[in-house]
Amino acid sequence: MDSLNQTRVTEFVFLGLTDNRVLEMLFFMAFSAIYVLTLSGNILIIIATVFTPSLHTPMYFFLSNLSFIDICHSSITVPKMLEGLLLERKSISFDNCITQLFFLHLFACAEIFLLIIMAYDRYVAICTPLHYPNVMNMRVCIQLVFALWLGGTVHSLGQTFLTIRLPYCGPNIIDSYFCDVPLVIKLACTDTYLTGILIVTNSGTISLSCFLAVVTSYMVILVSLRKHSAEGRRKALSTCSAHFMVVALFIGPCIFIYTRPDTSFSIDKVVSVFYTVVTPLLNPFIYTLRNEEVKSAMKQLRQRQVFFMKSYT
């Protein structure tokens, strides 16, 4: 409580990606286009999954949840970043900073847990196909989704508590375009070594252990594929490779950032842009370009759209 009473800072100021106005305008146009594509691509996947009966399976149920999380995760940071690219002074209130931090970790952790669930789903489908309908029924899928949101909330509350318990009485410059625990605690007017250790124990361990779990599951899947037909191996490898690309693109940057909170590198901003802006866009493209069922569903949606447009003209 004393630490909370010592808080003096009422707002934080972002340094942003660059102080060059020309580059800021270029970044604004590029990231605006990426954000629009992210929203439209992920919304299309959700619509295709809901309105295509052949996609009413656990794998696509989880994929639609991934798209929803990607929309939320991108919307936590990108709009504020775009606003900052247009303004000379980029600031955020203390309360809004903590709110952004909370939801950033909520959606990031939920996505990591979902990627683990999706890897488990593929493991059961490929390694024990006869038991798959019973193991991954819709009731279990809903329970798993509820569990990932619960786990993400607990994780995010822990990260937020670690941040707000510290006193902030002086520096308020954040060398980034969004609020995150490692960036904010550097501004605390006290020793944050123990807090840094707790961050590594929490966020760093979750990121690293989940990545290793996914790698292990796919190693088991690769070994089991030797018993499948050539067509079965091709289809399984296509699905698993797409999923592993998403895992590597998202969890990789998280490991890079959260396993060393007290150390900063010049490339940190680039890595942050990649996992907060670029990765949510890549997910729908990776799954649609490498998945025939999703591409077929997209074509059906387009045909329906054309049909309805002709009907009303």
Side-chain angles (χ1 to χ4, degrees):
M1 184 63 69
D2 290 340
S3 295
L4 293 175
N5 292 335
Q6 293 173 13
T7 299
R8 295 289 184 271
V9 172
T10 58
E11 71 170 6
F12 294 108
V13 177
F14 297 126
L15 293 183
L17 296 174
T18 178
D19 56 1
N20 186 306
R21 291 303 296 170
V22 176
L23 283 178
E24 284 187 329
M25 290 301 101
L26 292 175
F27 286 152
F28 176 81
M29 291 185 289
F31 294 144
S32 294
I34 289 175
Y35 184 55
V36 171
L37 288 173
T38 297
L39 295 181
S40 57
N42 283 291
I43 289 173
L44 275 175
I45 286 182
I46 294 173
I47 293 174
T49 303
V50 171
F51 291 100
T52 306
S54 62
L55 299 184
H56 293 172
T57 63
M59 184 176 79
Y60 296 108
F61 172 72
F62 294 135
L63 178 58
S64 62
N65 276 273
L66 178 65
S67 292
F68 173 74
I69 293 175
D70 279 336
I71 291 171
C72 297
H73 187 247
S74 180
S75 298
I76 289 299
T77 56
V78 177
K80 188 63 179 178
M81 179 186 67
L82 294 176
E83 177 190 74
L85 290 170
L86 296 177
L87 301 176
E88 185 173 346
R89 188 174 188 274
K90 311 160 182 47
S91 62
I92 185 171
S93 68
F94 182 88
D95 291 340
N96 286 342
C97 179
I98 297 301
T99 301
Q100 185 184 58
L101 180 152
F102 171 82
F103 284 106
L104 176 71
H105 278 266
L106 170 62
F107 295 126
C109 189
E111 178 155 347
I112 290 175
F113 288 155
L114 180 57
L115 292 173
I116 289 290
I117 293 171
M118 293 174 74
Y120 175 71
D121 173 72
R122 290 301 83 204
Y123 166 78
V124 176
I126 295 171
C127 297
T128 58
L130 297 179
H131 298 286
Y132 182 73
N134 293 326
V135 175
M136 297 301 294
N137 57 63
M138 187 51 63
R139 180 181 178 183
V140 171
C141 292
I142 293 173
Q143 289 174 342
L144 289 172
V145 169
F146 176 78
L148 74 86
W149 283 111
L150 179 62
T153 301
V154 171
H155 162 78
S156 189
L157 287 172
Q159 295 294 287
T160 304
F161 175 75
L162 289 175
T163 305
I164 63 174
R165 63 181 289 273
L166 299 172
Y168 300 92
C169 54
N172 69 335
I173 306 297
I174 297 177
D175 188 15
S176 186
Y177 58 91
F178 68 102
C179 290
D180 197 3
V181 177
L183 299 170
V184 174
I185 66 171
K186 290 179 181 178
L187 306 178
C189 305
T190 186
D191 180 35
T192 60
Y193 176 78
L194 180 59
T195 303
I197 295 298
L198 292 174
I199 291 172
V200 171
T201 303
N202 193 328
S203 297
T205 302
I206 288 175
S207 302
L208 185 58
S209 60
C210 288
F211 180 76
L212 293 176
V214 171
V215 171
T216 302
S217 68
Y218 280 118
M219 289 177 64
V220 175
I221 289 174
L222 287 175
V223 172
S224 69
L225 285 178
R226 293 182 300 178
K227 304 176 183 178
H228 290 65
S229 64
E231 178 62 21
R233 287 197 298 268
R234 185 197 64 79
K235 187 175 181 180
L237 285 173
S238 176
T239 303
C240 292
S241 60
H243 179 64
F244 188 76
M245 287 173 63
V246 172
V247 170
L249 290 172
F250 185 80
I251 301 184
C254 291
I255 294 173
F256 179 80
I257 291 173
Y258 296 114
T259 54
R260 39 136 198 111
D262 292 331
T263 308
S264 299
F265 297 117
S266 58
I267 199 175
D268 283 356
K269 287 185 183 180
V270 177
V271 175
S272 296
V273 167
F274 196 80
Y275 93 93
T276 59
V277 182
V278 179
T279 301
L281 168 67
L282 293 179
N283 288 352
F285 281 97
I286 289 172
Y287 280 107
T288 54
L289 293 177
R290 298 181 63 87
N291 192 300
E292 293 299 329
E293 291 177 303
V294 176
K295 286 193 288 186
S296 175
M298 293 293 185
K299 290 179 182 178
Q300 291 178 25
L301 284 177
R302 184 173 181 82
Q303 290 171 356
R304 290 179 187 176
Q305 181 184 18
V306 172
F307 174 78
F308 283 121
M309 289 178 65
K310 289 182 178 179
S311 300
Y312 287 99
T313 56

